[in-house]
């Protein structure tokens, strides 16, 4: 299973001094049960804010490319929250659910203007004697009107692809094309919400591989520049079907997908984080199950795509990999009451920040 993690782009700063504290510490933002967003000081681990959400449990966090606004969504009341990225002030928040309508979606992406929010969702309507579950649909949420203004049902072909309404969504830089990442990349015209192309990532330009896939538990993407998405994929050769993992790159402008094999598959691969200078990448691999489960950090040189270092760390049953704004620290968090810090250079444990609340798997933002 491959887990793709949230995107991030931050300025490079010097490596931390003793103790692993970032030289230019920022602020972490993450969701907590049952209905709050926490901001945490990177340098000290102190809780700076506990931001109450009217819509309940946060399940996704996304910052706009210009770093000006934060968009969050919740699962309790299917709400959308828009915040100012600097002041953390809530600009607007609203629930989509009504007594007779229920929506289920897992994040989305705002358009360049911030007026519209694009996602995929399921709608359930209350009838006289039952609830009727609709089909998976592309949807446009109007932030000003605080409601879903347009939907288009997926065709049976697209609906059958793995990922469902939880599939990650991205927009092209010009805001005219939506990409939905399932077994295939659905290319959707935002004006009509019609699929205009389907890119089969199982057949990359590189020869010798088949069944290239995102895997399960997809959460987001790393972005190396404004146009290119990077993530970890699994694949197999077409002869003996030996499974491997590798790095996949998707260009939002040219719609080109490429895949580079990096090594044999383990029991699980979770997360991809790339340093702000783009030179080094990190992931977490899992070997074995339950009682004999082992977790390791793997460190890569992104230029050669070679494994340069690895180190075992204490496993959790569920977790997410994160990185500090300057790339000096790695974070293990999610489905727990704390954040564990590891030195990104040595891969050694350094300290634990106590949150005093159960963190969700909504992702983590590193704010300046």
């Amino acid at each position: 299973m491959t887990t793709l993690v949230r995107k991030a782009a931050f300025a490079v700063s010097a490596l931390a001094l003793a103790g692993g504290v970032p030289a230019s510490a920022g602020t972490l933002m993450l969701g907590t049960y049952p209905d709050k967003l926490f901001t945490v000081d990177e340098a000290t681990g102190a809780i700076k804010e506990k931001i109450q959400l009217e819509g309940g449990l946060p399940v996704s966090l996304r910052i706009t490319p210009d770093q000006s606004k934060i968009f969050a969504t919740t699962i309790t009341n299917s709400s959308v929250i828009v915040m100012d990225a600097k002041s953390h002030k809530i600009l607007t928040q609203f629930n989509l659910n009504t007594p007779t309508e229920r929506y289920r979606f897992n994040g989305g992406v705002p358009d360049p203007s911030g007026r519209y929010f694009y996602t995929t969702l399921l709608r359930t309507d209350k009838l006289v004697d039952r609830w009727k579950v609709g089909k998976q649909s592309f949807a446009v949420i109007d932030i000003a009107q605080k409601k879903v203004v347009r939907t288009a049902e997926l065709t049976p072909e697209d609906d059958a692809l793995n990922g469902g309404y939880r599939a990650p969504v991205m927009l092209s830089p010009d805001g005219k094309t939506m990409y939905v990442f399932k077994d295939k990349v659905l290319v959707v015209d935002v004006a009509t919400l019609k699929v205009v192309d389907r890119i089969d990532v199982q057949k990359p330009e590189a020869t010798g591989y088949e069944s290239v896939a995102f895997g399960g538990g997809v959460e987001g993407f790393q972005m190396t520049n404004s146009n290119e998405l990077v993530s970890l994929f699994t694949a197999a050769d077409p002869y003996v079907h030996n499974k491997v993992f590798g790095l996949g790159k998707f260009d939002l402008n040219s719609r080109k997908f490429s895949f580079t094999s990096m090594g044999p598959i383990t029991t699980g691969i979770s997360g991809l984080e790339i340093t702000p200078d783009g030179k080094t990448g990190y992931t977490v691999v899992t070997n074995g199950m339950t009682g004999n489960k082992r977790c390791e950090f793997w460190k890569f040189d992104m230029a050669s795509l070679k494994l340069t270092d690895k180190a075992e760390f204490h496993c959790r049953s569920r977790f997410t990999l994160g990185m500090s704004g300057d790339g000096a620290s790695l974070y293990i968090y999610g489905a727990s009451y704390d954040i564990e810090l590891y030195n990104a250079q040595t891969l050694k444990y350094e300290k634990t920040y106590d949150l005093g609340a159960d963190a969700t798997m909504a992702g983590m933002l590193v704010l300046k």
Side-chain angles (χ1 to χ4, degrees):
M1 179 180 296
T2 306
T3 302
L4 317 177
V5 197
R6 55 132 181 107
K7 65 176 184 176
F10 304 98
V12 182
S13 59
L15 188 65
L17 300 175
V21 176
S24 179
T27 298
L28 306 177
M29 177 178 285
L30 68 165
T32 64
Y33 288 87
D35 54 8
K36 292 181 177 63
L37 293 175
F38 277 19
T39 59
V40 182
D41 185 89
E42 271 200 292
T44 65
I47 307 300
K48 300 170 67 174
E49 300 166 290
K50 297 181 180 180
I51 304 169
Q52 180 73 45
L53 304 180
E54 295 176 357
L57 180 66
V59 292
S60 75
L61 281 170
R62 196 158 202 161
I63 192 166
T64 54
D66 64 3
Q67 308 286 300
S68 65
K69 293 180 180 178
I70 296 167
F71 283 73
T73 61
T74 75
I75 193 173
T76 309
N77 292 307
S78 298
S79 67
V80 178
I81 301 98
V82 184
M83 305 175 61
D84 181 85
K86 290 186 177 180
S87 67
H88 310 156
K89 178 183 178 181
I90 294 178
L91 304 176
T92 184
Q93 61 178 320
F94 56 92
N95 300 331
L96 293 178
N97 287 352
T98 71
T100 59
E101 297 174 4
R102 295 287 188 272
Y103 293 91
R104 181 74 69 172
F105 64 102
N106 197 59
V109 59
D111 77 332
S113 72
R115 170 68 185 271
Y116 300 103
F117 191 75
Y118 295 90
T119 187
T120 56
L121 54 72
L122 290 176
R123 173 175 166 173
T124 304
D125 292 289
K126 185 177 183 180
L127 305 181
V128 174
D129 58 342
R130 68 189 187 281
W131 287 88
K132 181 181 178 182
V133 180
K135 294 183 179 180
Q136 187 184 165
S137 300
F138 304 123
V140 182
I141 300 170
D142 189 312
I143 301 300
Q145 296 186 51
K146 302 181 179 182
K147 65 179 182 179
V148 176
V149 292
R150 287 194 294 137
T151 61
E153 291 184 357
L154 275 67
T155 65
E157 173 190 1
D158 297 329
D159 188 48
L161 297 173
N162 288 331
Y165 67 85
R166 296 179 182 274
V169 177
M170 293 295 294
L171 282 186
S172 61
D174 61 10
K176 296 180 179 180
T177 304
M178 176 170 66
Y179 299 99
V180 181
F181 292 83
K182 296 192 171 190
D183 291 345
K184 298 180 180 181
V185 180
L186 303 181
V187 182
V188 183
D189 176 29
V190 300
T192 62
L193 295 185
K194 299 295 184 183
V195 176
V196 297
D197 196 7
R198 296 172 180 85
I199 301 171
D200 191 352
V201 298
Q202 294 196 14
K203 299 177 181 178
E205 293 179 353
T207 59
Y209 296 101
E210 65 174 5
S211 303
V212 179
F214 292 103
V218 176
E219 294 175 21
F221 293 90
Q222 188 68 257
M223 182 171 277
T224 57
N225 56 55
S226 60
N227 301 322
E228 186 181 68
L229 299 175
V230 181
S231 56
L232 291 175
F233 288 71
T234 61
D237 72 86
Y239 306 106
V240 296
H241 308 291
N242 181 46
K243 291 186 176 181
V244 298
F245 80 95
L247 198 74
K249 296 183 179 181
F250 183 82
D251 191 288
L252 293 174
N253 282 329
S254 67
R255 303 179 186 176
K256 295 290 186 179
F257 173 77
S258 62
F259 173 78
T260 303
S261 171
M262 298 177 71
I265 195 69
T266 61
T267 304
I269 303 174
S270 178
L272 174 66
E273 292 292 336
I274 299 174
T275 54
D277 60 10
K279 295 181 179 180
T280 308
Y282 299 86
T283 190
V284 170
V285 302
T286 303
N287 291 285
M289 303 289 288
T290 58
N292 63 345
K293 181 177 177 180
R294 295 175 57 250
C295 293
E296 293 179 332
F297 290 115
W298 281 12
K299 183 178 180 179
F300 302 100
D301 176 76
M302 294 302 294
S304 63
L305 295 184
K306 300 296 184 182
L307 178 67
T308 60
D309 197 6
K310 59 182 180 179
E312 187 172 353
F313 70 94
H314 175 67
C315 271
R316 299 186 182 193
S317 58
R318 295 193 309 153
F319 59 87
T320 301
L321 174 65
M323 178 184 286
S324 63
D326 62 358
S329 299
L330 299 175
Y331 300 130
I332 296 295
Y333 71 99
S336 67
Y337 281 69
D338 55 28
I339 301 172
E340 293 178 339
L341 277 71
Y342 292 80
N343 185 293
Q345 186 176 40
T346 65
L347 305 182
K348 300 294 185 182
Y349 168 81
E350 292 189 337
K351 63 183 72 174
T352 297
Y353 290 159
D354 184 5
L355 296 175
D358 195 359
T360 71
M361 304 292 282
M364 175 190 287
L365 298 179
V366 184
L367 308 174
K368 296 179 181 179

